[in-house]
Amino acid sequence: MQDLKYPIGLFYAPEKIETIHLKDWLDELAAAPSRLKTAVLDLSDSQLDTPYREGGWSVRQVVHHLADSHMNAYIRIKLALTEENPVIRPYEEKAWAELSDSKHGEIEVSLVLLEHLHKRLVMLASSLSEADLNRTFYHPANKTSATLAETLGVYAWHGNHHIAHIVSLRKRMGW
């Protein structure tokens, strides 16, 4: 039986992140906005307001969450490139998903935002040197520092993870 919460499993960074991992992650980040658009294509408002699993967010909330989360990722990456192991500002993603723009907003806004955000993210990430990829930021909630290389993997996985939520819901519902 498919795990509805983690349909593609959890993210595990390779012990040593190689060039091929980075290339694959950048390809996945570049493709994510188009894949997300395809995943939500022709869904009605009622379908968009359907949770992908019991106790989970609606499809609409997932789309807006991806934009919110990946904006935060982009800013974290830029902070790490311009400051020494900066302490990033966590945000309450569950609370953000309950705000009116996430619960009721038109998804097209976040789809376009994500498309252009990922263009910037991939453009920036493609230019990073090995030293840049080893730069870090500190997450006070997790009490850990993350490298930019690992962060790219996390957000490539994150996009795939939420797109899989929508695709698996469509399949289960016969949409």
Side-chain angles (χ1 to χ4, degrees):
M1 179 163 172
Q2 183 184 25
D3 182 348
L4 298 182
K5 190 170 185 178
Y6 294 100
I8 64 169
L10 297 171
F11 175 75
Y12 295 102
E15 200 168 298
K16 180 170 176 13
I17 297 174
E18 305 283 349
T19 304
I20 189 66
H21 298 119
L22 292 165
K23 182 195 176 312
D24 288 346
W25 293 338
L26 291 181
D27 288 348
E28 290 170 20
L29 285 164
S34 174
R35 291 183 55 237
L36 180 61
K37 277 186 182 180
T38 299
V40 298
L41 187 66
D42 296 329
L43 291 180
S44 68
D45 278 336
S46 171
Q47 291 167 326
L48 290 170
D49 293 330
T50 302
Y52 70 88
R53 66 175 173 84
E54 188 173 324
W57 291 331
S58 70
V59 172
R60 183 183 312 276
Q61 287 171 299
V62 168
V63 171
H64 294 307
H65 164 71
L66 279 167
D68 292 343
S69 176
H70 291 209
M71 280 190 293
N72 274 283
Y74 182 67
I75 291 166
R76 291 170 180 179
I77 289 168
K78 291 192 91 156
L79 287 169
L81 288 168
T82 58
E83 301 174 23
E84 204 56 47
N85 195 35
V87 177
I88 56 99
R89 171 97 168 64
Y91 71 103
E92 298 296 330
E93 64 180 35
K94 290 178 183 169
W96 284 34
E98 293 301 318
L99 295 173
S100 179
D101 65 324
S102 294
K103 285 190 85 162
H104 308 294
E106 291 296 322
I107 64 167
E108 186 62 31
V109 174
S110 285
L111 292 172
V112 170
L113 175 61
L114 202 64
E115 177 185 354
H116 294 284
L117 177 64
H118 275 227
K119 283 180 183 176
R120 291 278 308 268
L121 176 58
V122 171
M123 181 174 51
L124 176 63
S126 297
S127 74
L128 299 181
S129 67
E130 188 173 340
D132 292 333
L133 290 164
N134 286 316
R135 293 185 66 88
T136 59
F137 60 80
Y138 181 78
H139 197 300
N142 301 340
K143 297 184 179 9
T144 59
S145 288
T147 67
L148 296 189
E150 183 178 359
T151 299
L152 292 171
V154 167
Y155 283 93
W157 169 86
H158 186 253
N160 292 334
H161 164 72
H162 283 302
I163 292 166
H165 283 147
I166 297 166
V167 170
S168 68
L169 172 65
R170 287 188 79 141
K171 189 174 188 178
R172 289 191 318 275
M173 301 297 280
W175 295 342

